[in-house]
Amino acid sequence: MQRVRDLLLRTSTRRAFNRPATSTFKEEMDPKTEQRYSYTPILCWNPEVEDYFIKAYGPHHFSRISSALTHPSTYACIRVNMLKTTSDAVIQKLKTILEEVQYADSAKDILTSNDNACNPVMESLQSGSISKCQIPELDYVVFVKGSGPHVIDYSHKLGKPLKEVIVSRKCAEAVLRGAQAFVPGVMACSSHVEKGDVVAVSVAIEQRGADGAWSLGITRGTVLQGNQIDCDALLLFNADPYYCERSGLYIGQGVAMMSRAGIFRVSEGVAVDVKNRVFCLPSFHDVLEGEIFLQNLPSIVTAHAVDPKRGERILDMCAAPGGKTTALAILMKDEGEVVAMDRSHNKVLDIQKLATEMGLTCIRAYKLDALKAVCQRNESDEIMKMESSFPLMPNDEVTSACAAEGLKTVTNERENGRTYNSKAGVRKTMRRLRNGPGRNHCLGGRVEKCKGFSPDSFDRVLLDAPCSALGLRPRLFAGEETLESLRKHSKYQRRMFDQAVKLVRPGGVIVYSTVQELEDLA
């Protein structure tokens, strides 16, 4: 573990990527208008949780933490798939791709007249802004510099409301990290928005209702009719009841890729191409697929803490979405076995998809609750043995193979008393053996279920236990977490750790990774 501490210490002293805002307005704006059309969020906490943290950290320190959580990191951390390529090759490809994007945008960018528009492509092409990690053990990590916060000029005119698109809080957090505003994340839109219109993008944050429950207070598809002239006096112009809540929550400006009717008619696609952002980071969606993976640096270091060796059997207990799982497989050169499990069928499918995308064959993903990971008899291993005993074969050989192993097949009786084996029933039996005990078709895919693993069956175990995730950035809302819900995380983590201790062999390694919870701080 000393090696991991050294890595963390050295990464904490890496070159800072923060940069002060350099953009300014073309002309003076009214102070109230400037404050409204800005990004100055205030993170809302449960009062009990807030009091607890104020006592733990002190009012000034906690205020700084709370403010920092609302801002994304100004650099992207990329893990390179060293089984397919190298860091130097990826850096060269990224620069080439970014240059091509910059050239295309310069020819058709509608917002080029706005001097405040940030161009993440141009800034990423600056000298040293795409760089390889200088720590030898992490030379497959690439940093891409971003910038922000920027001041955005929304060209607001008194009496002429902005055309505006309101997105959900989770969508906004993704946009702040460099994503586009996709259709599922759009909650409301100004009337008469057409494809190609320049729109401001703002955020709908959960509000506490009269019953004390948190909700958006806005229905998807709501039409914004206009502006509110005087929030304090409640003088409305065309009635926009969500005007006050959006003050200081404008995250950028972009071009509508669909009309208002189109946004709420389809189920997927880009609703707004956000070109002018408060925080600028290049998007890596569908870029160098299989060669790179966007991952936080602490998660990358966690895989190093496991220190997997070729030929070993590794367990990732809470594996979704598969970032650490694939990192382990790459570190062991895809030789051995990495068992990944998650209790969600769809998340297991995501792990399988990522493993296929990265060309990894040593990963086996199962649907299994980490609290039930241990069984007295390793039924999953028995199923694997039976599966290997029955490889794919022609239909006319299936019946004899099943009979040789004593498998029960479907039979039908004829009128003359003779019986025959149903080939359809035999094939169904064979599929069950190959696919595991049961499967779910909710996304058109299938995953293997598992009833647990026998004790002492893994060389190393990674337990990245579920936690409150309060430290993830950017975070625009934290009001739903209570002291009781935070304490429950610690209880579940202890139960999962008990399972991990039973699963690792004597002399093996367990790596426990999560955010400190309240009971630990106490």
Side-chain angles (χ1 to χ4, degrees):
M1 297 302 292
Q2 183 61 40
R3 178 168 171 266
V4 178
R5 294 191 188 97
D6 292 341
L7 280 175
L8 288 172
L9 180 62
R10 291 157 69 182
T11 53
S12 66
T13 59
R14 67 183 182 275
R15 176 165 56 95
F17 290 114
N18 293 323
R19 194 189 77 170
T22 57
S23 300
T24 58
F25 281 111
K26 293 180 182 178
E27 56 187 39
E28 291 295 325
M29 292 183 63
D30 179 75
K32 288 186 178 180
T33 302
E34 181 177 355
Q35 182 179 4
R36 169 169 180 75
Y37 296 107
S38 64
Y39 181 73
T40 54
I42 298 175
L43 190 57
C44 182
W45 298 84
N46 177 283
E48 291 183 350
V49 174
E50 187 173 15
D51 290 342
Y52 181 93
F53 282 133
I54 288 175
K55 292 178 181 177
Y57 293 105
H60 179 66
H61 191 192
F62 177 67
S63 177
R64 291 179 60 191
I65 293 173
S66 186
S67 177
L69 287 175
T70 62
H71 290 58
S73 174
T74 52
Y75 73 94
C77 184
I78 297 173
R79 173 168 59 83
V80 177
N81 184 355
M82 299 297 284
L83 299 181
K84 286 189 173 184
T85 183
T86 64
S87 298
D88 293 332
V90 165
I91 291 175
Q92 187 58 46
K93 289 179 181 179
L94 286 177
K95 288 184 176 180
T96 301
I97 292 172
L98 291 175
E99 286 173 352
E100 293 174 353
V101 173
Q102 186 271 332
Y103 177 80
D105 285 348
S106 64
K108 64 180 181 180
D109 193 351
I110 299 177
L111 302 177
T112 51
S113 61
N114 188 347
D115 294 338
N116 299 308
C118 63
N119 192 327
V121 174
M122 289 299 294
E123 294 180 3
S124 295
L125 290 173
Q126 294 174 353
S127 177
S129 58
I130 301 181
S131 58
K132 181 169 60 175
C133 183
Q134 299 303 308
I135 301 174
E137 295 92 334
L138 299 176
D139 59 350
Y140 59 90
V141 176
V142 173
F143 297 113
V144 180
K145 179 183 176 181
S147 62
H150 294 271
V151 178
I152 309 297
D153 181 5
Y154 294 96
S155 302
H156 174 266
K157 295 180 180 179
L158 188 63
K160 186 178 180 181
L162 295 174
K163 287 190 175 183
E164 191 171 334
V165 170
I166 303 179
V167 299
S168 67
R169 185 249 310 173
K170 290 185 177 180
C171 177
E173 291 170 350
V175 171
L176 289 170
R177 292 193 298 267
Q180 298 293 359
F182 289 93
V183 166
V186 176
M187 297 301 299
C189 182
S190 298
S191 58
H192 308 302
V193 168
E194 299 295 336
K195 182 178 179 180
D197 286 350
V198 177
V199 296
V201 181
S202 60
V203 190
I205 303 293
E206 289 86 341
Q207 304 292 327
R208 188 185 290 275
D211 58 353
W214 294 95
S215 65
L216 283 179
I218 185 172
T219 304
R220 175 173 163 79
T222 298
V223 180
L224 304 179
Q225 297 293 341
N227 219 338
Q228 184 168 331
I229 298 175
D230 190 342
C231 183
D232 296 331
L234 297 179
L235 300 176
L236 303 181
F237 176 76
N238 288 338
D240 183 354
Y242 309 105
Y243 182 87
C244 295
E245 285 79 355
R246 298 198 305 282
S247 180
L249 289 172
Y250 284 76
I251 59 176
Q253 189 178 45
V255 177
M257 304 303 289
M258 305 177 184
S259 66
R260 183 199 171 277
I263 290 175
F264 297 112
R265 185 183 297 126
V266 299
S267 59
E268 59 183 15
V270 177
V272 180
D273 181 6
V274 186
K275 295 180 176 294
N276 194 0
R277 299 170 178 266
V278 174
F279 290 91
C280 298
L281 277 173
S283 174
F284 294 97
H285 181 66
D286 291 336
V287 174
L288 301 183
E289 190 173 286
E291 296 185 29
I292 64 173
F293 183 77
L294 201 62
Q295 190 172 23
N296 293 328
L297 188 61
S299 298
I300 296 173
V301 175
T302 298
H304 273 277
V306 180
D307 193 24
K309 308 297 183 184
R310 295 186 183 185
E312 290 185 331
R313 193 181 191 213
I314 315 293
L315 175 65
D316 189 353
M317 291 186 65
C318 302
K324 296 185 184 70
T325 305
T326 54
L328 292 171
I330 292 173
L331 287 174
M332 57 198 298
K333 308 300 181 184
D334 203 24
E335 297 179 13
E337 183 182 14
V338 179
V339 177
M341 64 184 192
D342 197 276
R343 66 180 182 178
S344 167
H345 170 274
N346 293 341
K347 289 182 178 180
V348 174
L349 286 178
D350 290 339
I351 297 171
Q352 293 175 343
K353 179 181 178 181
L354 181 60
T356 302
E357 176 185 306
M358 305 195 79
L360 300 170
T361 60
C362 71
I363 295 175
R364 298 293 298 272
Y366 296 96
K367 180 181 178 182
L368 176 63
D369 189 341
L371 296 175
K372 304 174 183 177
V374 180
C375 69
Q376 296 303 316
R377 285 189 314 113
N378 195 344
E379 298 182 24
S380 62
D381 279 352
E382 291 179 4
I383 293 170
M384 292 178 195
K385 291 178 182 178
M386 295 175 70
E387 176 186 342
S388 62
S389 300
F390 292 95
L392 292 174
M393 59 185 71
N395 290 339
D396 56 355
E397 299 180 15
V398 173
T399 303
S400 58
C402 290
E405 292 293 330
L407 290 176
K408 186 176 181 180
T409 60
V410 178
T411 61
N412 294 309
E413 290 192 6
R414 296 181 183 271
E415 291 182 358
N416 58 9
R418 298 180 61 185
T419 62
Y420 69 96
N421 291 325
S422 168
K423 290 186 177 181
V426 173
R427 287 194 295 270
K428 184 176 181 180
T429 302
M430 297 298 293
R431 285 197 301 269
R432 285 177 176 173
L433 289 173
R434 290 194 300 269
N435 299 333
R439 63 177 187 250
N440 189 318
H441 289 275
C442 63
L443 281 185
R446 59 190 181 191
V447 302
E448 293 187 70
K449 291 183 180 179
C450 180
K451 294 184 178 180
F453 303 95
S454 61
D456 308 333
S457 57
F458 293 94
D459 298 296
R460 300 170 193 267
V461 175
L462 170 59
L463 173 56
D464 185 36
C467 62
S468 64
L470 287 178
L472 290 181
R473 300 169 57 197
R475 174 170 290 277
L476 300 179
F477 177 70
E480 289 183 340
E481 288 289 354
T482 65
L483 288 177
E484 182 60 28
S485 67
L486 292 176
R487 291 192 176 101
K488 285 182 179 179
H489 290 302
S490 296
K491 295 177 182 178
Y492 281 115
Q493 289 167 5
R494 287 191 178 95
R495 291 174 58 188
M496 291 180 185
F497 192 82
D498 290 341
Q499 296 283 298
V501 171
K502 295 176 182 177
L503 289 170
V504 71
R505 64 170 174 77
V509 174
I510 298 177
V511 173
Y512 174 81
S513 168
T514 191
V515 178
Q516 276 192 322
E517 295 294 345
L518 291 177
E519 291 188 7
D520 299 322
L521 294 173

